[in-house]
mmCIF file with all atom_site columns, all heavy atoms in Angstrom:
data_model
loop_
_atom_site.group_PDB
_atom_site.id
_atom_site.type_symbol
_atom_site.label_atom_id
_atom_site.label_alt_id
_atom_site.label_comp_id
_atom_site.label_asym_id
_atom_site.label_entity_id
_atom_site.label_seq_id
_atom_site.pdbx_PDB_ins_code
_atom_site.Cartn_x
_atom_site.Cartn_y
_atom_site.Cartn_z
_atom_site.occupancy
_atom_site.B_iso_or_equiv
_atom_site.pdbx_formal_charge
_atom_site.auth_seq_id
_atom_site.auth_comp_id
_atom_site.auth_asym_id
_atom_site.auth_atom_id
_atom_site.pdbx_PDB_model_num
ATOM 1   N N   . ARG A 1 96  ? 19.261 155.660 70.709 1.00 0.00 ? 96  ARG A N   1
ATOM 2   C CA  . ARG A 1 96  ? 18.534 155.848 71.988 1.00 0.00 ? 96  ARG A CA  1
ATOM 3   C C   . ARG A 1 96  ? 17.087 155.542 71.767 1.00 0.00 ? 96  ARG A C   1
ATOM 4   O O   . ARG A 1 96  ? 16.388 155.970 70.824 1.00 0.00 ? 96  ARG A O   1
ATOM 5   C CB  . ARG A 1 96  ? 18.699 157.322 72.441 1.00 0.00 ? 96  ARG A CB  1
ATOM 6   C CG  . ARG A 1 96  ? 20.113 157.646 72.762 1.00 0.00 ? 96  ARG A CG  1
ATOM 7   C CD  . ARG A 1 96  ? 20.275 159.134 73.041 1.00 0.00 ? 96  ARG A CD  1
ATOM 8   N NE  . ARG A 1 96  ? 19.415 159.578 74.061 1.00 0.00 ? 96  ARG A NE  1
ATOM 9   C CZ  . ARG A 1 96  ? 19.348 160.846 74.486 1.00 0.00 ? 96  ARG A CZ  1
ATOM 10  N NH1 . ARG A 1 96  ? 20.031 161.800 73.895 1.00 0.00 ? 96  ARG A NH1 1
ATOM 11  N NH2 . ARG A 1 96  ? 18.483 161.211 75.449 1.00 0.00 ? 96  ARG A NH2 1
ATOM 12  N N   . ARG A 1 97  ? 16.542 154.708 72.704 1.00 0.00 ? 97  ARG A N   1
ATOM 13  C CA  . ARG A 1 97  ? 15.170 154.275 72.572 1.00 0.00 ? 97  ARG A CA  1
ATOM 14  C C   . ARG A 1 97  ? 14.584 154.270 74.048 1.00 0.00 ? 97  ARG A C   1
ATOM 15  O O   . ARG A 1 97  ? 15.319 153.877 74.900 1.00 0.00 ? 97  ARG A O   1
ATOM 16  C CB  . ARG A 1 97  ? 14.994 152.901 71.983 1.00 0.00 ? 97  ARG A CB  1
ATOM 17  C CG  . ARG A 1 97  ? 15.360 152.938 70.495 1.00 0.00 ? 97  ARG A CG  1
ATOM 18  C CD  . ARG A 1 97  ? 15.086 151.479 69.926 1.00 0.00 ? 97  ARG A CD  1
ATOM 19  N NE  . ARG A 1 97  ? 15.285 151.397 68.475 1.00 0.00 ? 97  ARG A NE  1
ATOM 20  C CZ  . ARG A 1 97  ? 16.366 151.078 67.941 1.00 0.00 ? 97  ARG A CZ  1
ATOM 21  N NH1 . ARG A 1 97  ? 17.379 150.730 68.633 1.00 0.00 ? 97  ARG A NH1 1
ATOM 22  N NH2 . ARG A 1 97  ? 16.480 151.017 66.606 1.00 0.00 ? 97  ARG A NH2 1
ATOM 23  N N   . ASP A 1 98  ? 13.333 154.564 74.167 1.00 0.00 ? 98  ASP A N   1
ATOM 24  C CA  . ASP A 1 98  ? 12.653 154.428 75.438 1.00 0.00 ? 98  ASP A CA  1
ATOM 25  C C   . ASP A 1 98  ? 12.122 153.036 75.562 1.00 0.00 ? 98  ASP A C   1
ATOM 26  O O   . ASP A 1 98  ? 11.352 152.469 74.837 1.00 0.00 ? 98  ASP A O   1
ATOM 27  C CB  . ASP A 1 98  ? 11.412 155.369 75.506 1.00 0.00 ? 98  ASP A CB  1
ATOM 28  C CG  . ASP A 1 98  ? 11.839 156.859 75.581 1.00 0.00 ? 98  ASP A CG  1
ATOM 29  O OD1 . ASP A 1 98  ? 13.012 157.122 75.891 1.00 0.00 ? 98  ASP A OD1 1
ATOM 30  O OD2 . ASP A 1 98  ? 11.004 157.683 75.211 1.00 0.00 ? 98  ASP A OD2 1
ATOM 31  N N   . LEU A 1 99  ? 12.566 152.339 76.670 1.00 0.00 ? 99  LEU A N   1
ATOM 32  C CA  . LEU A 1 99  ? 12.196 150.980 76.955 1.00 0.00 ? 99  LEU A CA  1
ATOM 33  C C   . LEU A 1 99  ? 10.658 150.913 77.261 1.00 0.00 ? 99  LEU A C   1
ATOM 34  O O   . LEU A 1 99  ? 10.062 149.898 76.954 1.00 0.00 ? 99  LEU A O   1
ATOM 35  C CB  . LEU A 1 99  ? 12.960 150.397 78.070 1.00 0.00 ? 99  LEU A CB  1
ATOM 36  C CG  . LEU A 1 99  ? 14.462 150.094 77.775 1.00 0.00 ? 99  LEU A CG  1
ATOM 37  C CD1 . LEU A 1 99  ? 15.163 149.530 78.994 1.00 0.00 ? 99  LEU A CD1 1
ATOM 38  C CD2 . LEU A 1 99  ? 14.573 149.113 76.591 1.00 0.00 ? 99  LEU A CD2 1
ATOM 39  N N   . ASP A 1 100 ? 10.126 151.878 77.926 1.00 0.00 ? 100 ASP A N   1
ATOM 40  C CA  . ASP A 1 100 ? 8.707  151.794 78.307 1.00 0.00 ? 100 ASP A CA  1
ATOM 41  C C   . ASP A 1 100 ? 7.761  151.691 77.060 1.00 0.00 ? 100 ASP A C   1
ATOM 42  O O   . ASP A 1 100 ? 6.744  151.055 77.064 1.00 0.00 ? 100 ASP A O   1
ATOM 43  C CB  . ASP A 1 100 ? 8.267  152.879 79.223 1.00 0.00 ? 100 ASP A CB  1
ATOM 44  C CG  . ASP A 1 100 ? 8.534  154.236 78.653 1.00 0.00 ? 100 ASP A CG  1
ATOM 45  O OD1 . ASP A 1 100 ? 9.359  154.396 77.686 1.00 0.00 ? 100 ASP A OD1 1
ATOM 46  O OD2 . ASP A 1 100 ? 7.885  155.213 79.119 1.00 0.00 ? 100 ASP A OD2 1
ATOM 47  N N   . ASN A 1 101 ? 8.221  152.312 75.961 1.00 0.00 ? 101 ASN A N   1
ATOM 48  C CA  . ASN A 1 101 ? 7.442  152.204 74.720 1.00 0.00 ? 101 ASN A CA  1
ATOM 49  C C   . ASN A 1 101 ? 7.384  150.801 74.215 1.00 0.00 ? 101 ASN A C   1
ATOM 50  O O   . ASN A 1 101 ? 6.396  150.335 73.603 1.00 0.00 ? 101 ASN A O   1
ATOM 51  C CB  . ASN A 1 101 ? 8.020  153.144 73.622 1.00 0.00 ? 101 ASN A CB  1
ATOM 52  C CG  . ASN A 1 101 ? 7.697  154.635 73.996 1.00 0.00 ? 101 ASN A CG  1
ATOM 53  O OD1 . ASN A 1 101 ? 6.886  154.962 74.837 1.00 0.00 ? 101 ASN A OD1 1
ATOM 54  N ND2 . ASN A 1 101 ? 8.448  155.464 73.274 1.00 0.00 ? 101 ASN A ND2 1
ATOM 55  N N   . LEU A 1 102 ? 8.505  150.102 74.301 1.00 0.00 ? 102 LEU A N   1
ATOM 56  C CA  . LEU A 1 102 ? 8.582  148.733 73.874 1.00 0.00 ? 102 LEU A CA  1
ATOM 57  C C   . LEU A 1 102 ? 7.668  147.852 74.689 1.00 0.00 ? 102 LEU A C   1
ATOM 58  O O   . LEU A 1 102 ? 7.018  146.944 74.131 1.00 0.00 ? 102 LEU A O   1
ATOM 59  C CB  . LEU A 1 102 ? 10.006 148.168 74.014 1.00 0.00 ? 102 LEU A CB  1
ATOM 60  C CG  . LEU A 1 102 ? 11.038 148.844 73.196 1.00 0.00 ? 102 LEU A CG  1
ATOM 61  C CD1 . LEU A 1 102 ? 12.485 148.251 73.525 1.00 0.00 ? 102 LEU A CD1 1
ATOM 62  C CD2 . LEU A 1 102 ? 10.746 148.661 71.718 1.00 0.00 ? 102 LEU A CD2 1
ATOM 63  N N   . ALA A 1 103 ? 7.542  148.070 75.953 1.00 0.00 ? 103 ALA A N   1
ATOM 64  C CA  . ALA A 1 103 ? 6.686  147.237 76.795 1.00 0.00 ? 103 ALA A CA  1
ATOM 65  C C   . ALA A 1 103 ? 5.234  147.412 76.427 1.00 0.00 ? 103 ALA A C   1
ATOM 66  O O   . ALA A 1 103 ? 4.488  146.449 76.300 1.00 0.00 ? 103 ALA A O   1
ATOM 67  C CB  . ALA A 1 103 ? 6.883  147.636 78.279 1.00 0.00 ? 103 ALA A CB  1
ATOM 68  N N   . LYS A 1 104 ? 4.816  148.635 76.161 1.00 0.00 ? 104 LYS A N   1
ATOM 69  C CA  . LYS A 1 104 ? 3.411  148.879 75.853 1.00 0.00 ? 104 LYS A CA  1
ATOM 70  C C   . LYS A 1 104 ? 3.001  148.181 74.580 1.00 0.00 ? 104 LYS A C   1
ATOM 71  O O   . LYS A 1 104 ? 2.001  147.428 74.513 1.00 0.00 ? 104 LYS A O   1
ATOM 72  C CB  . LYS A 1 104 ? 3.153  150.391 75.693 1.00 0.00 ? 104 LYS A CB  1
ATOM 73  C CG  . LYS A 1 104 ? 1.784  150.747 75.277 1.00 0.00 ? 104 LYS A CG  1
ATOM 74  C CD  . LYS A 1 104 ? 0.775  150.507 76.359 1.00 0.00 ? 104 LYS A CD  1
ATOM 75  C CE  . LYS A 1 104 ? -0.622 150.966 75.968 1.00 0.00 ? 104 LYS A CE  1
ATOM 76  N NZ  . LYS A 1 104 ? -1.660 150.229 76.611 1.00 0.00 ? 104 LYS A NZ  1
ATOM 77  N N   . ALA A 1 105 ? 3.775  148.326 73.560 1.00 0.00 ? 105 ALA A N   1
ATOM 78  C CA  . ALA A 1 105 ? 3.470  147.648 72.275 1.00 0.00 ? 105 ALA A CA  1
ATOM 79  C C   . ALA A 1 105 ? 3.488  146.169 72.382 1.00 0.00 ? 105 ALA A C   1
ATOM 80  O O   . ALA A 1 105 ? 2.580  145.383 71.834 1.00 0.00 ? 105 ALA A O   1
ATOM 81  C CB  . ALA A 1 105 ? 4.395  148.141 71.183 1.00 0.00 ? 105 ALA A CB  1
ATOM 82  N N   . THR A 1 106 ? 4.465  145.667 73.059 1.00 0.00 ? 106 THR A N   1
ATOM 83  C CA  . THR A 1 106 ? 4.591  144.213 73.274 1.00 0.00 ? 106 THR A CA  1
ATOM 84  C C   . THR A 1 106 ? 3.463  143.608 74.045 1.00 0.00 ? 106 THR A C   1
ATOM 85  O O   . THR A 1 106 ? 2.897  142.590 73.686 1.00 0.00 ? 106 THR A O   1
ATOM 86  C CB  . THR A 1 106 ? 5.971  143.874 73.867 1.00 0.00 ? 106 THR A CB  1
ATOM 87  O OG1 . THR A 1 106 ? 7.035  144.404 73.122 1.00 0.00 ? 106 THR A OG1 1
ATOM 88  C CG2 . THR A 1 106 ? 6.186  142.369 73.983 1.00 0.00 ? 106 THR A CG2 1
ATOM 89  N N   . LEU A 1 107 ? 3.153  144.231 75.231 1.00 0.00 ? 107 LEU A N   1
ATOM 90  C CA  . LEU A 1 107 ? 2.038  143.664 76.065 1.00 0.00 ? 107 LEU A CA  1
ATOM 91  C C   . LEU A 1 107 ? 0.680  143.712 75.296 1.00 0.00 ? 107 LEU A C   1
ATOM 92  O O   . LEU A 1 107 ? -0.083 142.807 75.387 1.00 0.00 ? 107 LEU A O   1
ATOM 93  C CB  . LEU A 1 107 ? 1.990  144.399 77.347 1.00 0.00 ? 107 LEU A CB  1
ATOM 94  C CG  . LEU A 1 107 ? 3.209  144.256 78.302 1.00 0.00 ? 107 LEU A CG  1
ATOM 95  C CD1 . LEU A 1 107 ? 3.060  145.073 79.595 1.00 0.00 ? 107 LEU A CD1 1
ATOM 96  C CD2 . LEU A 1 107 ? 3.449  142.750 78.650 1.00 0.00 ? 107 LEU A CD2 1
ATOM 97  N N   . ASP A 1 108 ? 0.475  144.817 74.557 1.00 0.00 ? 108 ASP A N   1
ATOM 98  C CA  . ASP A 1 108 ? -0.816 144.967 73.837 1.00 0.00 ? 108 ASP A CA  1
ATOM 99  C C   . ASP A 1 108 ? -0.886 143.879 72.760 1.00 0.00 ? 108 ASP A C   1
ATOM 100 O O   . ASP A 1 108 ? -1.968 143.309 72.562 1.00 0.00 ? 108 ASP A O   1
ATOM 101 C CB  . ASP A 1 108 ? -0.954 146.311 73.272 1.00 0.00 ? 108 ASP A CB  1
ATOM 102 C CG  . ASP A 1 108 ? -1.307 147.391 74.263 1.00 0.00 ? 108 ASP A CG  1
ATOM 103 O OD1 . ASP A 1 108 ? -1.594 147.020 75.395 1.00 0.00 ? 108 ASP A OD1 1
ATOM 104 O OD2 . ASP A 1 108 ? -1.213 148.569 73.962 1.00 0.00 ? 108 ASP A OD2 1
#
Side-chain angles (χ1 to χ4, degrees):
R96 293 172 59 183
R97 293 184 175 93
D98 291 340
L99 288 180
D100 58 337
N101 289 343
L102 297 175
K104 177 68 175 154
T106 303
L107 294 178
D108 286 349

